Amino acid sequence: MATSPASSSSSFAALPTSPASGAENLRRSRILSSKLYFDVPRSKVPVIYTSSYNITFLGIEKLHPFDSSKWGRVCEFLIKAGVLRKTQTVEPLEATNDDLLVVHSESYLKSLKSSLKVSILVEVPPVAIFPNWLVQQKVLHPFRKQVGGSILSAKLALERGWAINVGGGFHHCSAAEGGGFCVYADITLCIQFTFVRLNISRAMIIDLDAHQGNGHEKDFANDDRVYILDMYNAGIYPLDYEARRYINQKVELVSGTNTEAYLEQLDKALEVAKINFDPGLIVYNAGTDILEGDPLGRLKISPEGVAMRDEKVFRFAKERNIPLIMLTSGGYMKSSARVIADSIINLKQKNLIDLTMLPSTS
């Protein structure tokens, strides 16, 4: 990837890369023994979701602008529209401690046994006063379920051509540290699993959340198997200038960028990415915090613009026969769930995804 040295703060980037190294062998062993990959019946479509994704914690989840019931509302809209049945979605397993240790350190995971630590990462200070067993159950369990969904989505994408994890996209979390409502590095974990279990040798991250994806950027700083296209508002959180050095293709936007200008920039960026890199998998981080009115993203993209953005990325992958996974990532308005659902419906109408059951082989 970038030629700049990896951050000393990223324990994952600092791990030895020699296949013979003990750390690498241990990581490989953990991936091979994981149960997060499992065979999905043909009666299911590659849409991954469980009600366990949603965070309800005595109402204090409302103290953060993120809509922590967004994931469930997306599926409710799809079901009401008649394009998805509840029985068709795939429920992932929860990522275990061993799964998370594929990239995270023991010390980082132990730090999450402090409710104060978790409150800082999720940016909800009152979480600090609750016993950690409750924080694990109400906050971290939903996140670990979404991590399981992100990891499984890659296997499904290789089998079906695409997959959508209705959650995930915790792009501010690196192997070493979380932040910005991101506790576990699901994107890094997903890609590391594909390298070992799915025979993928090259992956592309297309990060179109309004915020810079500094977590995965630090994790893949010196890994030329991973190409990162990140298009973000350069004037907002996380302002991680170190991580920006590790972006292969950087598209920096200014606050107030409108739909027309945004889509024009995206078209140009995808043309460049097509020339620069030929991946075996695309991880698409599809945050809806680019919407006009989002209090944190500060861009001015219409709901129709979000649907066009997603359509362009799915078409980019389909025309090149590259499996693609979509993660919903950020989005800080109640309208985000409807916009995501409408975009998925548009993808179906444009024949970019198929939500019908596959015929049985029995």
Side-chain angles (χ1 to χ4, degrees):
M1 215 193 99
T3 56
S4 305
S7 165
S8 59
S9 65
S10 173
S11 59
F12 178 74
L15 283 173
T17 55
S18 167
S21 74
E24 186 65 24
N25 285 338
L26 182 57
R27 180 192 303 143
R28 181 178 177 85
S29 174
R30 284 182 169 133
I31 293 172
L32 290 173
S33 62
S34 174
K35 293 180 170 55
L36 292 179
Y37 279 177
F38 56 86
D39 291 333
V40 173
R42 296 167 73 85
S43 59
K44 304 282 189 177
V45 297
V47 175
I48 302 173
Y49 169 74
T50 169
S51 59
S52 298
Y53 279 14
N54 301 303
I55 298 173
T56 54
F57 194 2
L58 305 176
I60 66 171
E61 70 278 359
K62 296 175 183 175
L63 297 176
H64 193 281
F66 189 87
D67 176 8
S68 58
S69 62
K70 173 181 81 172
W71 308 292
R73 292 173 60 240
V74 170
C75 286
E76 287 173 9
F77 286 133
L78 292 172
I79 291 167
K80 285 178 182 177
V83 299
L84 183 70
R85 292 201 299 272
K86 188 176 181 180
T87 56
Q88 288 181 297
T89 58
V90 179
E91 179 172 353
L93 298 174
E94 177 183 358
T96 66
N97 199 63
D98 262 7
D99 294 324
L100 298 170
L101 283 169
V102 167
V103 301
H104 293 296
S105 66
E106 286 272 13
S107 61
Y108 175 71
L109 295 181
K110 284 179 181 176
S111 77
L112 301 179
K113 294 181 179 179
S114 159
S115 296
L116 174 60
K117 172 71 171 182
V118 177
S119 75
I120 293 168
L121 297 181
V122 300
E123 301 173 333
V124 181
V127 167
I129 68 173
F130 289 91
N132 191 255
W133 67 265
L134 190 59
V135 173
Q136 293 285 333
Q137 180 186 67
K138 295 293 189 178
V139 181
L140 298 184
H141 169 69
F143 285 149
R144 290 192 293 264
K145 272 285 199 175
Q146 293 188 45
V147 170
S150 294
I151 291 171
L152 177 61
S153 65
K155 178 179 184 292
L156 267 174
L158 261 73
E159 293 169 354
R160 310 280 186 94
W162 62 276
I164 297 172
N165 183 16
V166 178
F170 306 130
H171 66 158
H172 297 308
C173 187
S174 69
E177 190 59 68
F181 207 69
C182 300
V183 178
Y184 303 113
D186 66 321
I187 293 176
T188 303
L189 280 159
C190 172
I191 291 173
Q192 289 297 332
F193 268 66
T194 69
F195 287 157
V196 174
R197 295 278 290 267
L198 301 179
N199 202 29
I200 294 291
S201 59
R202 291 155 68 85
M204 176 182 288
I205 299 170
I206 300 179
D207 195 335
L208 301 185
D209 187 275
H211 300 84
Q212 175 199 352
N214 58 323
H216 58 72
E217 287 158 7
K218 288 181 176 179
D219 285 346
F220 293 113
N222 287 324
D223 196 332
D224 59 9
R225 298 173 299 175
V226 179
Y227 183 95
I228 299 173
L229 162 57
D230 197 348
M231 183 166 158
Y232 58 92
N233 185 341
I236 61 173
Y237 178 90
L239 300 172
D240 192 332
Y241 297 100
E242 177 197 350
R244 289 182 189 183
R245 295 185 292 156
Y246 309 135
I247 303 171
N248 298 87
Q249 192 180 337
K250 182 167 48 179
V251 182
E252 296 191 330
L253 305 171
V254 297
S255 294
T257 298
N258 64 24
T259 302
E260 183 180 359
Y262 181 92
L263 294 176
E264 183 180 341
Q265 290 267 53
L266 178 58
D267 283 336
K268 292 177 182 177
L270 292 175
E271 281 300 312
V272 173
K274 177 175 68 174
I275 296 167
N276 285 353
F277 200 75
D278 183 23
L281 175 72
I282 293 173
V283 178
Y284 172 35
N285 201 49
T288 46
D289 47 5
I290 65 170
L291 278 165
E292 182 170 9
D294 190 285
L296 302 184
R298 301 184 194 170
L299 301 175
K300 292 188 175 182
I301 314 306
S302 67
E304 295 78 15
V306 172
M308 291 178 68
R309 175 198 70 171
D310 295 348
E311 182 182 331
K312 287 176 184 292
V313 176
F314 271 77
R315 198 174 299 281
F316 172 85
K318 188 166 187 176
E319 288 177 350
R320 290 155 189 81
N321 200 30
I322 303 168
L324 176 145
I325 68 171
M326 172 177 161
L327 312 174
T328 58
S329 201
Y332 305 92
M333 296 193 298
K334 286 288 185 183
S335 61
S336 279
R338 168 64 77 179
V339 170
I340 294 167
D342 286 347
S343 178
I344 292 172
I345 292 168
N346 178 66
L347 293 172
K348 177 182 182 293
Q349 291 172 342
K350 298 294 174 62
N351 294 316
L352 291 168
I353 63 174
D354 185 358
L355 293 174
T356 56
M357 295 183 294
L358 294 174
S360 173
T361 56
S362 60

